[in-house]
Amino acid sequence: MAIIKQISKTIKGVSKFILVNERINSQRCVAKNLDTTKTIFDNK
């Protein structure tokens, strides 16, 4: 039973890690689509 609990704990940790990475990657994709150079230069 201890082995099953350890495997379950490991899978939960890996799934959390994957979810965090997906969130970071999706934020990067959104940031790439925004052109911030125009707003920086237009405000001067």
Side-chain angles (χ1 to χ4, degrees), residues 6 8 22-23 25 27 35:
Q6 186 64 36
S8 174
E22 285 299 316
R23 204 171 290 150
N25 286 337
Q27 287 175 353
D35 186 10

Side-chain angles (χ1 to χ4, degrees), residues 4-5 8-10 12-13 16 23 37 40 42:
I4 294 173
K5 284 184 180 180
S8 174
K9 197 174 185 181
T10 303
K12 283 181 185 176
K16 283 182 183 177
R23 204 171 290 150
T37 55
I40 292 169
D42 287 344

Side-chain angles (χ1 to χ4, degrees), residues 4-41:
I4 294 173
K5 284 184 180 180
Q6 186 64 36
I7 291 172
S8 174
K9 197 174 185 181
T10 303
I11 291 173
K12 283 181 185 176
V14 169
S15 65
K16 283 182 183 177
F17 179 76
I18 291 171
L19 285 173
V20 168
N21 277 339
E22 285 299 316
R23 204 171 290 150
I24 290 170
N25 286 337
S26 67
Q27 287 175 353
R28 279 191 195 142
C29 289
V30 169
K32 280 182 186 175
N33 292 334
L34 296 174
D35 186 10
T36 55
T37 55
K38 286 183 181 177
T39 56
I40 292 169
F41 291 117

